[in-house]
Amino acid sequence: MILDILFPNRCIHCNQIIDGNLLVCNLCFEHIKFTHFSYLENNYIKEKCKLLFPVENAFALMQFEKENLSRKIVHELKYKSREKVGKIIADWTSERLDFKNEKPDVLVSVPLHPKKLKERGYNQLHLFTETLSEFYNIPFSHDLIKRNHYSKAQALKDKQHRLETENTFSITQPISGKHILLIDDVFTTGNTLSTIAWEVLKAGNNKISVLVMAIDV
């Protein structure tokens, strides 16, 4: 209570004092660029994925443009130690994502290398994934995929480096005949998701769909 008075929660965009469970005020919420993609129809992220690997469906919640509010939201989650932002973004996602008759079998989040996980203190995708798992009643796995190499954040790499496959992943357990929904924060080149997707596809008769918080357009 005292901390709430001394350090009230503020909108990350306009700095107005807001409820402790919110991230932005009602006025600034209107500035978030949601994609309005349909998970079951062709859309921008699905077309991008199809150039890299076989994909069933794909959905991106927000547009990740330079200096826009969506970018600030994701950066709050990843770099400002605000893990709970993942739940807020998941709530926005559940209001806009309808699997209908294409519900995946398991939600799989992109892993951090153990060193990066120790540095950050949390995986920014875990609470997001767990919240969606509960809402849709779909099991999740945070350890199906293992990241084998440590590297600096994608945001700190130049475009050429992001195009290179510097991070390799491996499957930690047998999996076959499953529809996997791969979950990541931002789709830029698609390199990370593509690398993981091919590992999952090689592991057995699996299908891949994709969900990201934002897509860099």
Side-chain angles (χ1 to χ4, degrees), residues 70-187:
S70 301
R71 181 179 291 265
K72 188 179 294 186
I73 289 167
V74 175
H75 282 191
E76 285 288 316
L77 170 64
K78 293 182 69 173
Y79 307 121
K80 299 294 183 66
S81 299
R82 296 188 66 178
E83 184 179 8
K84 291 183 178 179
V85 171
K87 182 182 184 310
I88 295 173
I89 301 175
D91 290 339
W92 296 344
T93 302
S94 64
E95 294 170 357
R96 294 166 175 80
L97 171 59
D98 187 355
F99 292 119
K100 295 184 179 177
N101 61 339
E102 292 290 334
K103 193 173 179 180
D105 297 313
V106 60
L107 312 181
V108 176
S109 54
V110 172
L112 294 177
H113 187 272
K115 182 178 179 181
K116 178 63 67 63
L117 183 61
K118 185 175 181 180
E119 290 173 356
R120 185 170 295 168
Y122 61 94
N123 183 316
Q124 71 274 9
L125 299 174
H126 283 185
L127 185 56
F128 176 77
T129 302
E130 291 160 14
T131 303
L132 293 177
S133 171
E134 182 177 359
F135 180 84
Y136 292 107
N137 193 27
I138 302 173
F140 69 87
S141 174
H142 294 324
D143 53 14
L144 175 66
I145 310 296
K146 177 184 177 183
R147 188 186 291 262
N148 298 318
H149 302 292
Y150 174 83
S151 70
K152 62 185 179 180
Q154 288 281 70
L156 300 180
K157 299 178 184 179
D158 61 33
K159 186 174 182 180
Q160 181 59 39
H161 284 153
R162 291 200 304 269
L163 288 170
E164 298 171 358
T165 308
E166 296 181 4
N167 299 321
T168 57
F169 299 87
S170 57
I171 305 295
T172 62
Q173 55 193 271
I175 184 166
S176 182
K178 298 295 184 181
H179 183 181
I180 308 297
L181 183 67
L182 294 181
I183 296 177
D184 204 358
D185 45 31
V186 180
F187 186 103

